[in-house]
Amino acid sequence: MKAKVSIDKFVVEYMDVPRSVYYALVSKAVKSGELFKQKFNYQGYGYQLHLRKRNGAYLHVFYRNWSEPEGMSYTLRLETRPEYYFHFKEVLDALRRVASDIYFVSCDIAYDVKTSMDNVVVIPHDGRRKLREFKGTRYFGEKHQRKTNGHCKIYNKRLELYENQNVVIDHELTRTENVYKPDKRIPLAELLQCPPEQNDDYFAAV
């Protein structure tokens, strides 16, 4: 049985983005009605924006990591599903023009198989990754490790589609979702030369 592989969440960073560009992004989001939520000094960043379009496309923006010294330009991180980046092309073009570099940070890689969770076996190669279960979802890794390389969860994708999107499919579907976060950030232009290697983290079988 083959697994269908897809990319879920995709995270990139734009380096040395001026304050003026970030403020312009905020102003445009307010005027367009796309600003869904804004936070300050939260979870390691000075500024956070959560943009959402009417069609459901979203973009999470994180600006000025707390570790960065005082200045006029800071790192700006974007996080969303790969297909949603196209919906924010104007934002991306503005950032691309001013950023000194663009780096890939991480992504979630999903493996879907048409069978129930009872038939899917996932075993970590690192014995320190303990299995825990919460509301029917299996996790390898603690909650605070959610964004670390190798964090894994296995869940009933068929049920998730029905509960969250009211989508009904006529077959069982199990998703195994792994975080891929390399030790060093990869220039976005070189990403295709650095495919993820996850066989060192887990053994999986149906």
Side-chain angles (χ1 to χ4, degrees), residues 12-189:
V12 295
E13 285 187 343
Y14 292 76
M15 311 306 295
D16 303 312
V17 175
R19 287 175 182 259
S20 58
V21 174
Y22 174 77
Y23 293 147
L25 190 160
V26 176
S27 176
K28 182 180 182 302
V30 171
K31 292 177 181 177
S32 66
E34 294 174 358
L35 181 58
F36 178 71
K37 190 182 299 182
Q38 186 171 193
K39 296 179 181 179
F40 301 97
N41 295 316
Y42 183 72
Q43 293 186 338
Y45 287 88
Y47 309 90
Q48 292 188 31
L49 294 177
H50 300 277
L51 311 182
R52 190 177 299 275
K53 291 183 177 288
R54 291 188 178 89
N55 61 6
Y58 70 87
L59 184 67
H60 298 325
V61 183
F62 306 85
Y63 186 61
R64 193 191 175 184
N65 190 291
W66 285 347
S67 64
E68 294 182 288
E70 183 69 31
M72 296 302 295
S73 299
Y74 302 105
T75 301
L76 186 144
R77 174 177 290 203
L78 298 183
E79 180 180 300
T80 190
R81 295 176 59 85
E83 63 268 27
Y84 290 163
Y85 276 96
F86 173 78
H87 296 275
F88 295 92
K89 184 177 183 300
E90 188 174 345
V91 173
L92 302 186
D93 288 343
L95 294 174
R96 190 181 297 113
R97 286 193 292 268
V98 299
S100 59
D101 289 292
I102 307 173
Y103 290 98
F104 165 79
V105 177
S106 66
C107 68
D108 289 353
I109 303 177
Y111 305 87
D112 292 330
V113 289
K114 293 181 179 180
T115 189
S116 71
M117 286 179 61
D118 294 337
N119 298 327
V120 177
V121 177
V122 178
I123 302 173
H125 290 306
D126 187 338
R128 292 171 296 181
R129 294 186 187 272
K130 302 301 182 183
L131 172 65
R132 62 187 179 90
E133 214 170 304
F134 181 71
K135 292 185 177 181
T137 299
R138 302 170 193 162
Y139 296 89
F140 287 103
E142 299 297 329
K143 187 175 181 180
H144 69 275
Q145 299 173 314
R146 168 65 185 84
K147 296 184 178 181
T148 59
N149 185 60
H151 187 278
C152 174
K153 66 178 181 180
I154 304 102
Y155 60 97
N156 185 333
K157 183 64 177 177
R158 181 188 186 187
L159 180 62
E160 190 259 357
L161 286 171
Y162 176 72
E163 292 182 340
N164 295 346
Q165 302 179 40
N166 201 30
V167 173
V168 178
I169 57 176
D170 61 0
H171 56 79
E172 297 286 349
L173 189 64
T174 296
R175 170 166 289 192
T176 299
E177 197 171 282
N178 286 19
V179 175
Y180 171 53
K181 187 175 184 179
D183 293 334
K184 294 183 179 180
R185 292 175 304 178
I186 301 171
L188 194 60

Side-chain angles (χ1 to χ4, degrees), residues 188-200:
L188 194 60
E190 300 175 11
L191 184 57
L192 292 180
Q193 302 171 28
C194 307
E197 295 288 344
Q198 298 192 306
N199 289 339
D200 291 337

